[in-house]
């Protein structure tokens, strides 16, 4: 907020406060107290209703942590499956032979915040990465 905007904001707040004080003085202390109590009760009820609405609102499901295969030597398939809202059925044939070479050694990576990753790995079969499916999944080999 710039200096000029800050001055305007404080001037408006001061004017509103002075007007409210003048109004309460003119109508009397007893009536002003009753009006203030009524306004406070209405604000409390509206705030409670807003809290209930916010609590019941649909919120997106939290994103699960990602899946990582890195610096691995896998003799068969890789199947990374995440966020499937139906049934999962996988079938496969015989396991593939082991890969001919072993990947270079590296540190264990942190899981990505979301998603799937296969890096610096050797596999003897296919890589299946399935994410965010609204129905059933069937993986056949």
């Amino acid at each position: 907020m710039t200096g000029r905007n800050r001055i305007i904001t404080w001037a408006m707040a001061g004017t509103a406060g002075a007007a409210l004080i003048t109004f309460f003085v003119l109508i009397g202390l007893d009536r002003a107290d009753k009006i203030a109590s009524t306004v406070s009760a209405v604000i409390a009820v509206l705030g409670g209703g807003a809290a209930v609405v916010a609590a019941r609102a649909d919120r997106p499901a939290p994103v699960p942590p990602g899946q990582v295969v890195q610096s691995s030597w896998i003799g068969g398939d890789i199947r990374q499956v995440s966020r499937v809202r139906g049934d999962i059925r996988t079938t496969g044939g015989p396991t593939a032979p082991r890969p001919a070479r072993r990947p270079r050694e590296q540190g264990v990576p942190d899981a990505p915040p979301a998603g799937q990753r296969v890096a610096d790995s050797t596999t003897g079969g296919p890589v299946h990465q399935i994410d965010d499916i609204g129905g059933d999944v069937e993986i056949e080999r």
Side-chain angles (χ1 to χ4, degrees):
M1 184 181 283
T2 64
R4 182 171 186 229
N5 288 343
R6 186 175 298 132
I7 291 170
I8 292 171
T9 301
W10 280 108
M12 289 175 60
T15 302
L20 189 61
I21 290 170
T22 303
F23 173 72
F24 285 154
V25 168
L26 291 176
I27 65 169
L29 185 58
D30 187 48
R31 192 159 177 224
D33 182 44
K34 290 177 183 175
I35 291 172
S37 295
T38 303
V39 169
S40 296
V42 168
I43 290 172
V45 168
L46 292 176
V52 169
V53 168
R56 298 189 67 182
D58 289 335
R59 300 206 193 296
V63 176
Q67 300 171 334
V68 177
V69 176
Q70 184 164 344
S71 301
S72 300
W73 190 31
I74 299 153
D77 302 356
I78 296 176
R79 294 176 179 172
Q80 292 179 321
V81 181
S82 175
R83 296 186 300 166
V84 174
R85 291 173 292 284
D87 294 331
I88 301 171
R89 180 172 175 253
T90 63
T91 59
T95 304
R98 296 179 76 158
R101 66 174 182 83
R102 189 174 192 102
R104 64 183 182 275
E105 294 293 326
Q106 292 187 354
V108 177
D110 292 334
Q116 300 158 327
R117 182 175 65 222
V118 177
D120 297 323
S121 298
T122 303
T123 65
V127 176
H128 301 277
Q129 294 179 316
I130 295 100
D131 186 22
D132 198 15
I133 304 296
D136 296 342
V137 173
E138 186 170 338
I139 304 170
E140 294 182 7
R141 182 171 172 210

